[in-house]
Amino acid sequence: MQHKITQLFGIKYPIVQGGMIWVSGWKLASAVSNAGGLGLIGSGSMYPEVLRTHIQKCKKATNKPFGVNVPMLYPDIEKIMDIIVEEGVKIVFTSAGNPKTWTSFLKDKGIIVVHVVSSVKFALKAEAAGVDAIVCEGFEAGGHNGREETTSLTLIPMVKEQIGIPIIAAGGIGTGKGMLAAMVLGADGVQIGSRFAATEESSAHEAFKKVIVEVKDGGTDLTLKELAPVRLVKNKFYENVQELYKNNPSIEDLKKLLGRARAKKGMFEGDLEEGELEIGQIAGLINQIKPVNQVMEEIIEEFSKTKQLFSESTFF
């Protein structure tokens, strides 16, 4: 498959694995890269030296391109960026911050920069900042999300009309059919998170992986919008948040309930009651934990068969 995204990253398929906190370690990133996609290490849940270790292990596990996802709202950002440069990482995805802050620094080092956006406004800002591509993330996505609640179905074509750099679609994509739909709407590639969270190589706790395959339609919700909007599984912690909302809580009340390391407790340590369980709406279509190479094969096969089917259809 030759697309703008495969050419930009030097990969076989236009599929990028989401750099999810507590899920996207070196094992997952290297497995996706070895299967023909672009694996991303999620630095948001890593201390700087932990990230260095993951980068070094990933380099040993694959000779294919891989990158690092960096949420800019996290502490130690300067140390994170220095380690990325020192370790020779060639691709960086930035999110949750102003793309102007680090784009020039990274590009001056020869690093490809991609920024995650959830609106046309921020897509234009990212393009103006000089990024090489953007991730267009719709409301369906898991984890931290845009306040606008714009769906992928509408966001992708709106952004496509306004910018000239490559677009990677994210949010609600975990199948070959979803990949094809995103590309018909104008995306040059896709970023998939939740489907890879439920793989054997994911660093998520096995109990959380089991929850992912059990989630049904309506089993997640976007909440905590006053802090940073996040899509969560409706577990006991989520219900506690909704109960607090009945009392018109202040931001401080919400912060107190959230506490520290809530996502780690749920996604990495497996506390299914009191932990944050971040996953996207596509979880309703995930029915089995599989190895990465099998997931990739199924996505590509379904994409190709569906594309062929529509090319032969009398409806077109």
Side-chain angles (χ1 to χ4, degrees):
M1 291 184 182
Q2 287 299 310
H3 300 274
K4 291 180 181 179
I5 294 302
T6 59
Q7 293 170 355
L8 178 64
F9 299 134
I11 56 179
K12 185 176 182 180
Y13 304 120
I15 297 175
V16 179
Q17 162 244 314
M20 303 162 281
I21 62 170
W22 302 115
V23 172
S24 303
W26 69 269
K27 288 183 180 179
L28 178 58
S30 61
V32 172
S33 291
N34 284 333
L38 180 71
L40 294 181
I41 297 171
S43 73
S45 51
M46 299 178 183
Y47 291 114
E49 289 306 316
V50 173
L51 173 62
R52 188 190 297 277
T53 299
H54 277 262
I55 293 171
Q56 291 175 348
K57 287 184 176 181
C58 199
K59 287 191 287 189
K60 291 179 180 178
T62 183
N63 60 2
K64 307 292 186 182
F66 71 91
V68 174
N69 181 73
V70 183
M72 294 187 286
L73 56 75
Y74 287 92
D76 293 324
I77 187 72
E78 291 85 2
K79 292 180 182 178
I80 292 290
M81 292 300 190
D82 286 342
I83 286 172
I84 285 171
V85 173
E86 290 166 9
E87 292 297 330
V89 174
K90 300 300 182 185
I91 302 167
V92 170
F93 281 50
T94 56
S95 60
N98 188 339
K100 284 186 177 180
T101 309
W102 288 100
T103 297
S104 294
F105 170 85
L106 293 168
K107 287 182 69 68
D108 286 346
K109 306 295 189 301
I111 296 172
I112 295 170
V113 181
V114 182
H115 191 67
V116 181
V117 303
S118 58
S119 68
V120 174
K121 174 184 175 181
F122 288 110
L124 290 167
K125 286 188 174 183
E127 184 178 39
V131 302
D132 297 285
I134 62 164
V135 173
C136 236
E137 186 175 71
F139 165 77
E140 304 93 328
H144 291 291
N145 216 316
R147 298 181 185 280
E148 299 83 3
E149 299 189 14
T150 308
T151 66
S152 297
L153 188 68
T154 53
L155 180 62
I156 298 164
M158 286 194 293
V159 171
K160 182 68 174 181
E161 285 187 347
Q162 297 292 322
I163 71 166
I165 57 178
I167 295 171
I168 302 167
I173 303 167
T175 64
K177 290 178 181 177
M179 177 180 169
L180 179 60
M183 297 179 79
V184 169
L185 288 170
D188 300 292
V190 296
Q191 179 167 282
I192 295 174
S194 299
R195 174 62 273 199
F196 287 126
T199 57
E200 293 177 2
E201 294 88 348
S202 159
S203 53
H205 195 280
E206 292 303 314
F208 176 47
K209 293 181 188 181
K210 185 178 179 181
V211 167
I212 296 172
V213 300
E214 292 174 349
V215 168
K216 304 301 180 185
D217 175 36
T220 69
D221 186 35
L222 194 66
T223 188
L224 293 172
K225 299 172 187 177
E226 297 82 357
L227 303 180
V230 61
R231 182 170 295 283
L232 301 176
V233 173
K234 294 178 179 179
N235 66 345
K236 183 176 181 294
F237 168 68
Y238 167 84
E239 296 299 339
N240 290 341
V241 172
Q242 302 316 300
E243 190 65 29
L244 182 59
Y245 272 124
K246 293 179 181 179
N247 300 317
N248 192 27
S250 65
I251 289 178
E252 288 306 313
D253 291 332
L254 292 170
K255 286 182 177 179
K256 183 178 179 181
L257 176 62
L258 180 61
R260 291 178 56 83
R262 184 77 68 170
K264 179 183 180 182
K265 180 182 291 187
M267 300 163 69
F268 192 69
E269 297 177 348
D271 187 336
L272 305 183
E273 296 294 320
E274 297 298 336
E276 263 192 353
L277 304 178
E278 304 179 9
I279 206 68
Q281 289 182 327
I282 195 66
L285 286 177
I286 300 172
N287 304 309
Q288 190 177 350
I289 299 166
K290 301 178 179 181
V292 162
N293 64 345
Q294 187 175 341
V295 170
M296 286 286 288
E297 288 172 2
E298 290 175 356
I299 291 172
I300 295 303
E301 182 179 7
E302 184 179 86
F303 173 88
S304 299
K305 285 184 176 180
T306 308
K307 185 179 179 182
Q308 182 66 26
L309 177 66
F310 277 100
S311 70
E312 297 172 352
S313 173
T314 57
F315 290 103
F316 296 92

